[in-house]
Amino acid sequence: MRTLIFATNNQHKLEEVQAIIGSDFLLKSLNDIGCSDDIPETGDTFEENASQKSHFIYERYTLDCFADDSGLEIECLNNEPGVYSARYSGSRDTEGNMHLVLEKLKNQTNRKARFRTVISLILNGKEHLFEGFVHGTITTQQSGNKGFGYDPIFQPDGYNITFADMSADEKNKISHRGRAMQNLLKFLHDQQLK
Ligand code: IMP
């Protein structure tokens, strides 16, 4: 079984990605390889941040690895919060971040938004990028208690519940990270067939 390092210590993300990747690959987190560095994420785009993280790990450990960077893009806010999603209100406080979004959209009729993920994989020293989107709308109030981040205020197109109302399985099938991971998995399987 092939081992892959996922450059994260976010337990929610690790579980989501492990569920998607199944038993074909052994996934290890930063904790698992004893990496406690604060990996820099100073880019202006998801691509730059994902790439910065995967290169940081590869340069230190020379192991096949991947890193992701995701965020929420809201159409009427010129795609904010984007790469600033984790600290939109000035801190990592999830409630504060959601509150700020709802406040900014208070009198807005266009509530279209999307989540986007970019994954940078370094396999045998070569970088490959993958992307995933999910389109939806920002609700007027929070609903649900599953998931993390902006899940309670994001309703994916075609559903009348938020990400936070969904089971992890249901979310994984349609989420930005799920779709980017499916693209990554397809690539890995194609590589093994070569
Ligand atoms: P990350 O790059 O995946 O760590 O995501 C950065 C930030 O975007 C997170 O801290 C969340 O605020 C937001 N975010 C990313 N993915 C999701 C998701 O699946 N649900 C809700 N919020 C998310």
Side-chain angles (χ1 to χ4, degrees):
M1 194 193 292
R2 192 151 190 175
T3 302
L4 273 178
I5 314 304
F6 181 18
T8 187
N9 274 327
N10 177 329
Q11 197 55 33
H12 273 291
K13 274 169 49 173
L14 202 65
E15 283 165 18
E16 274 190 17
V17 169
Q18 184 67 76
I20 295 163
I21 214 160
S23 55
D24 291 354
F25 294 88
L26 180 61
L27 207 59
K28 289 193 175 177
S29 69
L30 295 177
N31 271 336
D32 294 332
I33 58 166
C35 173
S36 54
D37 297 297
D38 197 9
I39 305 180
E41 253 183 88
T42 55
D44 293 327
T45 63
F46 296 123
E47 284 82 356
E48 280 173 330
N49 283 336
S51 188
Q52 199 175 18
K53 289 188 273 187
S54 62
H55 279 92
F56 182 95
I57 296 304
Y58 190 75
E59 276 155 26
R60 275 160 189 75
Y61 299 90
T62 329
L63 295 170
D64 291 335
C65 62
F66 65 93
D68 72 333
D69 198 45
S70 316
L72 179 64
E73 296 182 327
I74 300 173
E75 195 172 275
C76 70
L77 300 180
N78 292 321
N79 286 337
E80 275 185 26
V83 287
Y84 307 106
S85 293
R87 296 170 178 272
Y88 195 37
S89 62
S91 82
R92 285 191 175 272
D93 173 36
T94 303
E95 286 296 323
N97 289 338
M98 281 192 286
H99 186 254
L100 181 58
V101 166
L102 292 181
E103 207 38 49
K104 288 200 178 201
L105 265 58
K106 213 170 180 177
N107 299 313
Q108 267 294 342
T109 46
N110 174 11
R111 305 183 73 90
K112 282 187 200 157
R114 66 182 188 186
F115 275 117
R116 187 152 86 91
T117 293
V118 173
I119 294 176
S120 162
L121 166 75
I122 302 186
L123 195 69
N124 303 322
K126 194 165 180 281
E127 182 178 22
H128 307 269
L129 292 174
F130 305 90
E131 193 175 28
F133 290 101
V134 55
H135 295 267
T137 50
I138 301 297
T139 53
T140 50
Q141 56 188 26
Q142 294 186 28
S143 174
N145 53 17
K146 301 187 190 78
F148 71 102
Y150 298 91
D151 280 349
I153 59 168
F154 183 82
Q155 184 173 302
D157 286 348
Y159 292 77
N160 55 11
I161 54 172
T162 68
F163 263 175
D165 290 315
M166 291 184 175
S167 68
D169 265 6
E170 214 177 346
K171 179 183 168 188
N172 282 341
K173 278 188 199 130
I174 58 164
S175 82
H176 47 312
R177 202 166 8 264
R179 286 175 173 157
M181 280 303 304
Q182 295 298 347
N183 292 334
L184 166 70
L185 259 187
K186 186 178 178 312
F187 171 83
L188 289 172
H189 283 137
D190 290 351
Q191 292 291 304
Q192 284 189 327
L193 293 177
K194 276 183 191 166

mmCIF file of all heavy atoms in Angstrom, residues 143-184:
data_model
loop_
_atom_site.group_PDB
_atom_site.id
_atom_site.type_symbol
_atom_site.label_atom_id
_atom_site.label_comp_id
_atom_site.label_asym_id
_atom_site.label_seq_id
_atom_site.Cartn_x
_atom_site.Cartn_y
_atom_site.Cartn_z
ATOM 1 N N SER A 143 -27.798 27.026 10.140
ATOM 2 C CA SER A 143 -28.575 25.799 10.337
ATOM 3 C C SER A 143 -27.629 24.604 10.368
ATOM 4 O O SER A 143 -26.736 24.503 9.523
ATOM 5 C CB SER A 143 -29.590 25.646 9.202
ATOM 6 O OG SER A 143 -30.240 24.393 9.318
ATOM 7 N N GLY A 144 -27.839 23.715 11.333
ATOM 8 C CA GLY A 144 -27.047 22.482 11.412
ATOM 9 C C GLY A 144 -25.844 22.613 12.327
ATOM 10 O O GLY A 144 -25.389 23.716 12.634
ATOM 11 N N ASN A 145 -25.364 21.444 12.784
ATOM 12 C CA ASN A 145 -24.218 21.466 13.707
ATOM 13 C C ASN A 145 -23.119 20.477 13.321
ATOM 14 O O ASN A 145 -22.270 20.159 14.115
ATOM 15 C CB ASN A 145 -24.682 21.218 15.152
ATOM 16 C CG ASN A 145 -25.509 19.950 15.246
ATOM 17 O OD1 ASN A 145 -25.468 19.123 14.323
ATOM 18 N ND2 ASN A 145 -26.250 19.787 16.318
ATOM 19 N N LYS A 146 -23.150 20.010 12.085
ATOM 20 C CA LYS A 146 -22.073 19.113 11.638
ATOM 21 C C LYS A 146 -21.025 19.921 10.876
ATOM 22 O O LYS A 146 -21.199 21.114 10.655
ATOM 23 C CB LYS A 146 -22.640 18.007 10.757
ATOM 24 C CG LYS A 146 -23.698 17.145 11.433
ATOM 25 C CD LYS A 146 -24.084 15.983 10.552
ATOM 26 C CE LYS A 146 -25.299 15.258 11.098
ATOM 27 N NZ LYS A 146 -26.559 15.970 10.811
ATOM 28 N N GLY A 147 -19.937 19.259 10.476
ATOM 29 C CA GLY A 147 -18.929 19.915 9.660
ATOM 30 C C GLY A 147 -18.118 20.947 10.421
ATOM 31 O O GLY A 147 -17.922 20.843 11.623
ATOM 32 N N PHE A 148 -17.685 21.988 9.715
ATOM 33 C CA PHE A 148 -16.855 23.026 10.335
ATOM 34 C C PHE A 148 -16.950 24.313 9.510
ATOM 35 O O PHE A 148 -17.635 24.360 8.493
ATOM 36 C CB PHE A 148 -15.399 22.547 10.445
ATOM 37 C CG PHE A 148 -14.663 22.454 9.132
ATOM 38 C CD1 PHE A 148 -13.750 23.425 8.748
ATOM 39 C CD2 PHE A 148 -14.898 21.396 8.272
ATOM 40 C CE1 PHE A 148 -13.078 23.344 7.536
ATOM 41 C CE2 PHE A 148 -14.240 21.313 7.050
ATOM 42 C CZ PHE A 148 -13.326 22.284 6.681
ATOM 43 N N GLY A 149 -16.252 25.326 9.964
ATOM 44 C CA GLY A 149 -16.162 26.594 9.223
ATOM 45 C C GLY A 149 -17.519 27.179 8.880
ATOM 46 O O GLY A 149 -18.405 27.290 9.733
ATOM 47 N N TYR A 150 -17.694 27.516 7.601
ATOM 48 C CA TYR A 150 -18.902 28.202 7.143
ATOM 49 C C TYR A 150 -20.038 27.235 6.804
ATOM 50 O O TYR A 150 -21.048 27.647 6.224
ATOM 51 C CB TYR A 150 -18.577 29.044 5.899
ATOM 52 C CG TYR A 150 -17.562 30.142 6.153
ATOM 53 C CD1 TYR A 150 -16.192 29.918 5.979
ATOM 54 C CD2 TYR A 150 -17.960 31.412 6.587
ATOM 55 C CE1 TYR A 150 -15.252 30.919 6.223
ATOM 56 C CE2 TYR A 150 -17.029 32.412 6.827
ATOM 57 C CZ TYR A 150 -15.679 32.161 6.646
ATOM 58 O OH TYR A 150 -14.760 33.145 6.884
ATOM 59 N N ASP A 151 -19.894 25.957 7.117
ATOM 60 C CA ASP A 151 -20.910 24.953 6.762
ATOM 61 C C ASP A 151 -22.341 25.345 7.165
ATOM 62 O O ASP A 151 -23.272 25.115 6.382
ATOM 63 C CB ASP A 151 -20.564 23.586 7.374
ATOM 64 C CG ASP A 151 -19.501 22.851 6.563
ATOM 65 O OD1 ASP A 151 -19.199 23.293 5.435
ATOM 66 O OD2 ASP A 151 -18.969 21.843 7.068
ATOM 67 N N PRO A 152 -22.575 25.923 8.364
ATOM 68 C CA PRO A 152 -23.959 26.232 8.757
ATOM 69 C C PRO A 152 -24.642 27.322 7.927
ATOM 70 O O PRO A 152 -25.857 27.487 8.013
ATOM 71 C CB PRO A 152 -23.825 26.696 10.220
ATOM 72 C CG PRO A 152 -22.532 26.115 10.687
ATOM 73 C CD PRO A 152 -21.630 26.132 9.488
ATOM 74 N N ILE A 153 -23.879 28.084 7.102
ATOM 75 C CA ILE A 153 -24.532 29.134 6.300
ATOM 76 C C ILE A 153 -24.371 28.893 4.790
ATOM 77 O O ILE A 153 -24.654 29.769 3.994
ATOM 78 C CB ILE A 153 -24.030 30.560 6.677
ATOM 79 C CG1 ILE A 153 -22.510 30.693 6.490
ATOM 80 C CG2 ILE A 153 -24.460 30.932 8.092
ATOM 81 C CD1 ILE A 153 -22.014 32.152 6.557
ATOM 82 N N PHE A 154 -23.898 27.699 4.419
ATOM 83 C CA PHE A 154 -23.729 27.403 2.987
ATOM 84 C C PHE A 154 -24.699 26.318 2.546
ATOM 85 O O PHE A 154 -24.650 25.191 3.038
ATOM 86 C CB PHE A 154 -22.298 26.964 2.689
ATOM 87 C CG PHE A 154 -22.058 26.709 1.220
ATOM 88 C CD1 PHE A 154 -21.788 27.757 0.348
ATOM 89 C CD2 PHE A 154 -22.131 25.422 0.694
ATOM 90 C CE1 PHE A 154 -21.576 27.534 -1.015
ATOM 91 C CE2 PHE A 154 -21.925 25.182 -0.666
ATOM 92 C CZ PHE A 154 -21.643 26.244 -1.515
ATOM 93 N N GLN A 155 -25.576 26.693 1.604
ATOM 94 C CA GLN A 155 -26.547 25.731 1.058
ATOM 95 C C GLN A 155 -26.167 25.402 -0.384
ATOM 96 O O GLN A 155 -26.223 26.272 -1.255
ATOM 97 C CB GLN A 155 -27.943 26.364 1.103
ATOM 98 C CG GLN A 155 -29.040 25.428 0.662
ATOM 99 C CD GLN A 155 -30.402 26.047 0.896
ATOM 100 O OE1 GLN A 155 -30.754 26.409 2.025
ATOM 101 N NE2 GLN A 155 -31.164 26.196 -0.163
ATOM 102 N N PRO A 156 -25.723 24.168 -0.627
ATOM 103 C CA PRO A 156 -25.308 23.826 -1.988
ATOM 104 C C PRO A 156 -26.495 23.823 -2.953
ATOM 105 O O PRO A 156 -27.621 23.503 -2.545
ATOM 106 C CB PRO A 156 -24.707 22.417 -1.841
ATOM 107 C CG PRO A 156 -25.220 21.889 -0.552
ATOM 108 C CD PRO A 156 -25.570 23.057 0.321
ATOM 109 N N ASP A 157 -26.248 24.182 -4.211
ATOM 110 C CA ASP A 157 -27.313 24.199 -5.226
ATOM 111 C C ASP A 157 -27.968 22.814 -5.314
ATOM 112 O O ASP A 157 -27.277 21.794 -5.270
ATOM 113 C CB ASP A 157 -26.740 24.569 -6.604
ATOM 114 C CG ASP A 157 -26.392 26.049 -6.686
ATOM 115 O OD1 ASP A 157 -26.809 26.806 -5.784
ATOM 116 O OD2 ASP A 157 -25.702 26.444 -7.646
ATOM 117 N N GLY A 158 -29.301 22.815 -5.417
ATOM 118 C CA GLY A 158 -30.033 21.553 -5.554
ATOM 119 C C GLY A 158 -30.460 20.959 -4.218
ATOM 120 O O GLY A 158 -31.077 19.895 -4.182
ATOM 121 N N TYR A 159 -30.135 21.624 -3.122
ATOM 122 C CA TYR A 159 -30.497 21.133 -1.770
ATOM 123 C C TYR A 159 -31.219 22.237 -1.021
ATOM 124 O O TYR A 159 -31.013 23.415 -1.292
ATOM 125 C CB TYR A 159 -29.235 20.759 -0.975
ATOM 126 C CG TYR A 159 -28.509 19.555 -1.517
ATOM 127 C CD1 TYR A 159 -27.709 19.658 -2.648
ATOM 128 C CD2 TYR A 159 -28.638 18.310 -0.908
ATOM 129 C CE1 TYR A 159 -27.051 18.547 -3.166
ATOM 130 C CE2 TYR A 159 -27.982 17.195 -1.416
ATOM 131 C CZ TYR A 159 -27.187 17.325 -2.539
ATOM 132 O OH TYR A 159 -26.545 16.226 -3.035
ATOM 133 N N ASN A 160 -32.057 21.860 -0.039
ATOM 134 C CA ASN A 160 -32.637 22.906 0.808
ATOM 135 C C ASN A 160 -32.152 22.777 2.246
ATOM 136 O O ASN A 160 -32.824 23.202 3.184
ATOM 137 C CB ASN A 160 -34.171 22.934 0.706
ATOM 138 C CG ASN A 160 -34.765 21.574 1.027
ATOM 139 O OD1 ASN A 160 -34.054 20.694 1.523
ATOM 140 N ND2 ASN A 160 -36.039 21.396 0.741
ATOM 141 N N ILE A 161 -30.985 22.181 2.398
ATOM 142 C CA ILE A 161 -30.313 22.109 3.698
ATOM 143 C C ILE A 161 -28.878 22.609 3.528
ATOM 144 O O ILE A 161 -28.365 22.671 2.402
ATOM 145 C CB ILE A 161 -30.292 20.669 4.283
ATOM 146 C CG1 ILE A 161 -29.679 19.675 3.282
ATOM 147 C CG2 ILE A 161 -31.679 20.233 4.700
ATOM 148 C CD1 ILE A 161 -29.459 18.281 3.848
ATOM 149 N N THR A 162 -28.257 22.977 4.648
ATOM 150 C CA THR A 162 -26.873 23.460 4.566
ATOM 151 C C THR A 162 -25.890 22.284 4.672
ATOM 152 O O THR A 162 -26.290 21.161 5.026
ATOM 153 C CB THR A 162 -26.552 24.433 5.722
ATOM 154 O OG1 THR A 162 -26.550 23.689 6.950
ATOM 155 C CG2 THR A 162 -27.544 25.584 5.786
ATOM 156 N N PHE A 163 -24.609 22.565 4.420
ATOM 157 C CA PHE A 163 -23.568 21.558 4.611
ATOM 158 C C PHE A 163 -23.567 21.039 6.050
ATOM 159 O O PHE A 163 -23.282 19.870 6.293
ATOM 160 C CB PHE A 163 -22.195 22.171 4.301
ATOM 161 C CG PHE A 163 -21.689 21.906 2.910
ATOM 162 C CD1 PHE A 163 -20.505 22.500 2.464
ATOM 163 C CD2 PHE A 163 -22.361 21.052 2.045
ATOM 164 C CE1 PHE A 163 -20.013 22.252 1.189
ATOM 165 C CE2 PHE A 163 -21.878 20.797 0.768
ATOM 166 C CZ PHE A 163 -20.693 21.404 0.344
ATOM 167 N N ALA A 164 -23.895 21.916 6.997
ATOM 168 C CA ALA A 164 -23.865 21.515 8.406
ATOM 169 C C ALA A 164 -25.044 20.628 8.793
ATOM 170 O O ALA A 164 -25.057 20.032 9.870
ATOM 171 C CB ALA A 164 -23.813 22.745 9.312
ATOM 172 N N ASP A 165 -26.063 20.554 7.913
ATOM 173 C CA ASP A 165 -27.191 19.642 8.152
ATOM 174 C C ASP A 165 -26.917 18.260 7.564
ATOM 175 O O ASP A 165 -27.671 17.319 7.805
ATOM 176 C CB ASP A 165 -28.469 20.180 7.471
ATOM 177 C CG ASP A 165 -29.004 21.429 8.146
ATOM 178 O OD1 ASP A 165 -29.077 21.453 9.378
ATOM 179 O OD2 ASP A 165 -29.347 22.386 7.414
ATOM 180 N N MET A 166 -25.876 18.158 6.724
ATOM 181 C CA MET A 166 -25.613 16.903 6.002
ATOM 182 C C MET A 166 -24.701 15.977 6.789
ATOM 183 O O MET A 166 -23.869 16.439 7.564
ATOM 184 C CB MET A 166 -24.881 17.201 4.689
ATOM 185 C CG MET A 166 -25.711 17.908 3.690
ATOM 186 S SD MET A 166 -24.736 18.084 2.156
ATOM 187 C CE MET A 166 -25.986 18.805 1.129
ATOM 188 N N SER A 167 -24.816 14.675 6.486
ATOM 189 C CA SER A 167 -23.849 13.725 7.039
ATOM 190 C C SER A 167 -22.523 13.960 6.311
ATOM 191 O O SER A 167 -22.500 14.541 5.212
ATOM 192 C CB SER A 167 -24.324 12.295 6.788
ATOM 193 O OG SER A 167 -24.281 12.021 5.412
ATOM 194 N N ALA A 168 -21.435 13.489 6.910
ATOM 195 C CA ALA A 168 -20.113 13.652 6.289
ATOM 196 C C ALA A 168 -20.092 13.001 4.910
ATOM 197 O O ALA A 168 -19.553 13.562 3.954
ATOM 198 C CB ALA A 168 -19.039 13.048 7.190
ATOM 199 N N ASP A 169 -20.740 11.845 4.788
ATOM 200 C CA ASP A 169 -20.783 11.117 3.519
ATOM 201 C C ASP A 169 -21.437 11.935 2.421
ATOM 202 O O ASP A 169 -20.945 12.025 1.307
ATOM 203 C CB ASP A 169 -21.637 9.844 3.681
ATOM 204 C CG ASP A 169 -20.762 8.646 3.985
ATOM 205 O OD1 ASP A 169 -19.552 8.857 4.179
ATOM 206 O OD2 ASP A 169 -21.311 7.525 4.031
ATOM 207 N N GLU A 170 -22.589 12.511 2.808
ATOM 208 C CA GLU A 170 -23.369 13.299 1.855
ATOM 209 C C GLU A 170 -22.563 14.512 1.397
ATOM 210 O O GLU A 170 -22.506 14.835 0.213
ATOM 211 C CB GLU A 170 -24.658 13.747 2.562
ATOM 212 C CG GLU A 170 -25.866 13.832 1.681
ATOM 213 C CD GLU A 170 -27.116 14.206 2.493
ATOM 214 O OE1 GLU A 170 -27.080 14.141 3.750
ATOM 215 O OE2 GLU A 170 -28.097 14.587 1.871
ATOM 216 N N LYS A 171 -21.904 15.175 2.356
ATOM 217 C CA LYS A 171 -21.105 16.364 2.018
ATOM 218 C C LYS A 171 -19.923 15.984 1.119
ATOM 219 O O LYS A 171 -19.649 16.649 0.122
ATOM 220 C CB LYS A 171 -20.608 17.049 3.303
ATOM 221 C CG LYS A 171 -19.743 18.277 3.016
ATOM 222 C CD LYS A 171 -19.181 18.931 4.265
ATOM 223 C CE LYS A 171 -18.106 19.947 3.885
ATOM 224 N NZ LYS A 171 -17.378 20.508 5.000
ATOM 225 N N ASN A 172 -19.231 14.900 1.478
ATOM 226 C CA ASN A 172 -18.045 14.474 0.712
ATOM 227 C C ASN A 172 -18.333 14.248 -0.764
ATOM 228 O O ASN A 172 -17.494 14.476 -1.614
ATOM 229 C CB ASN A 172 -17.483 13.167 1.277
ATOM 230 C CG ASN A 172 -16.688 13.408 2.536
ATOM 231 O OD1 ASN A 172 -16.270 14.531 2.795
ATOM 232 N ND2 ASN A 172 -16.483 12.374 3.318
ATOM 233 N N LYS A 173 -19.558 13.754 -1.036
ATOM 234 C CA LYS A 173 -19.895 13.416 -2.425
ATOM 235 C C LYS A 173 -19.940 14.647 -3.308
ATOM 236 O O LYS A 173 -19.679 14.574 -4.507
ATOM 237 C CB LYS A 173 -21.259 12.705 -2.469
ATOM 238 C CG LYS A 173 -21.128 11.234 -2.155
ATOM 239 C CD LYS A 173 -22.447 10.516 -2.388
ATOM 240 C CE LYS A 173 -22.418 9.191 -1.638
ATOM 241 N NZ LYS A 173 -23.595 8.973 -0.810
ATOM 242 N N ILE A 174 -20.305 15.797 -2.730
ATOM 243 C CA ILE A 174 -20.503 16.979 -3.578
ATOM 244 C C ILE A 174 -19.581 18.138 -3.213
ATOM 245 O O ILE A 174 -19.597 19.168 -3.877
ATOM 246 C CB ILE A 174 -21.970 17.479 -3.490
ATOM 247 C CG1 ILE A 174 -22.351 17.817 -2.037
ATOM 248 C CG2 ILE A 174 -22.916 16.454 -4.078
ATOM 249 C CD1 ILE A 174 -23.610 18.669 -1.950
ATOM 250 N N SER A 175 -18.788 17.993 -2.163
ATOM 251 C CA SER A 175 -18.015 19.155 -1.698
ATOM 252 C C SER A 175 -16.833 19.477 -2.601
ATOM 253 O O SER A 175 -16.360 18.625 -3.368
ATOM 254 C CB SER A 175 -17.517 18.921 -0.268
ATOM 255 O OG SER A 175 -16.347 18.138 -0.290
ATOM 256 N N HIS A 176 -16.362 20.703 -2.506
ATOM 257 C CA HIS A 176 -15.168 21.180 -3.211
ATOM 258 C C HIS A 176 -13.975 20.260 -2.929
ATOM 259 O O HIS A 176 -13.283 19.816 -3.846
ATOM 260 C CB HIS A 176 -14.869 22.611 -2.763
ATOM 261 C CG HIS A 176 -14.901 22.820 -1.273
ATOM 262 N ND1 HIS A 176 -15.932 22.358 -0.479
ATOM 263 C CD2 HIS A 176 -14.029 23.384 -0.410
ATOM 264 C CE1 HIS A 176 -15.690 22.659 0.784
ATOM 265 N NE2 HIS A 176 -14.533 23.275 0.855
ATOM 266 N N ARG A 177 -13.759 19.932 -1.637
ATOM 267 C CA ARG A 177 -12.619 19.083 -1.280
ATOM 268 C C ARG A 177 -12.828 17.669 -1.837
ATOM 269 O O ARG A 177 -11.914 17.044 -2.342
ATOM 270 C CB ARG A 177 -12.457 19.039 0.243
ATOM 271 C CG ARG A 177 -11.070 18.652 0.688
ATOM 272 C CD ARG A 177 -10.804 18.924 2.168
ATOM 273 N NE ARG A 177 -11.974 19.329 2.903
ATOM 274 C CZ ARG A 177 -12.294 20.597 3.147
ATOM 275 N NH1 ARG A 177 -11.525 21.575 2.756
ATOM 276 N NH2 ARG A 177 -13.388 20.894 3.807
ATOM 277 N N GLY A 178 -14.082 17.182 -1.733
ATOM 278 C CA GLY A 178 -14.415 15.852 -2.249
ATOM 279 C C GLY A 178 -14.107 15.774 -3.742
ATOM 280 O O GLY A 178 -13.496 14.820 -4.209
ATOM 281 N N ARG A 179 -14.522 16.821 -4.470
ATOM 282 C CA ARG A 179 -14.323 16.803 -5.926
ATOM 283 C C ARG A 179 -12.851 16.928 -6.289
ATOM 284 O O ARG A 179 -12.364 16.249 -7.201
ATOM 285 C CB ARG A 179 -15.146 17.917 -6.581
ATOM 286 C CG ARG A 179 -16.622 17.539 -6.577
ATOM 287 C CD ARG A 179 -17.526 18.614 -7.086
ATOM 288 N NE ARG A 179 -18.889 18.095 -7.209
ATOM 289 C CZ ARG A 179 -19.965 18.842 -7.201
ATOM 290 N NH1 ARG A 179 -19.872 20.159 -7.089
ATOM 291 N NH2 ARG A 179 -21.156 18.292 -7.314
ATOM 292 N N ALA A 180 -12.130 17.781 -5.576
ATOM 293 C CA ALA A 180 -10.683 17.915 -5.844
ATOM 294 C C ALA A 180 -9.982 16.597 -5.505
ATOM 295 O O ALA A 180 -9.097 16.144 -6.248
ATOM 296 C CB ALA A 180 -10.095 19.066 -5.015
ATOM 297 N N MET A 181 -10.417 15.949 -4.419
ATOM 298 C CA MET A 181 -9.817 14.661 -4.022
ATOM 299 C C MET A 181 -10.116 13.580 -5.055
ATOM 300 O O MET A 181 -9.277 12.734 -5.320
ATOM 301 C CB MET A 181 -10.353 14.222 -2.647
ATOM 302 C CG MET A 181 -9.706 14.873 -1.469
ATOM 303 S SD MET A 181 -7.924 14.660 -1.388
ATOM 304 C CE MET A 181 -7.766 12.895 -1.427
ATOM 305 N N GLN A 182 -11.350 13.603 -5.600
ATOM 306 C CA GLN A 182 -11.685 12.606 -6.635
ATOM 307 C C GLN A 182 -10.763 12.773 -7.835
ATOM 308 O O GLN A 182 -10.306 11.782 -8.424
ATOM 309 C CB GLN A 182 -13.152 12.745 -7.106
ATOM 310 C CG GLN A 182 -14.203 12.448 -6.050
ATOM 311 C CD GLN A 182 -14.163 11.016 -5.530
ATOM 312 O OE1 GLN A 182 -13.506 10.164 -6.123
ATOM 313 N NE2 GLN A 182 -14.822 10.757 -4.421
ATOM 314 N N ASN A 183 -10.471 14.021 -8.198
ATOM 315 C CA ASN A 183 -9.554 14.277 -9.321
ATOM 316 C C ASN A 183 -8.153 13.768 -8.991
ATOM 317 O O ASN A 183 -7.478 13.182 -9.833
ATOM 318 C CB ASN A 183 -9.496 15.775 -9.641
ATOM 319 C CG ASN A 183 -10.807 16.277 -10.214
ATOM 320 O OD1 ASN A 183 -11.564 15.498 -10.803
ATOM 321 N ND2 ASN A 183 -11.094 17.553 -10.033
ATOM 322 N N LEU A 184 -7.727 13.985 -7.749
ATOM 323 C CA LEU A 184 -6.412 13.501 -7.309
ATOM 324 C C LEU A 184 -6.363 11.962 -7.337
ATOM 325 O O LEU A 184 -5.413 11.364 -7.837
ATOM 326 C CB LEU A 184 -6.125 14.014 -5.887
ATOM 327 C CG LEU A 184 -4.976 13.374 -5.115
ATOM 328 C CD1 LEU A 184 -3.636 13.761 -5.713
ATOM 329 C CD2 LEU A 184 -4.999 13.803 -3.653
#
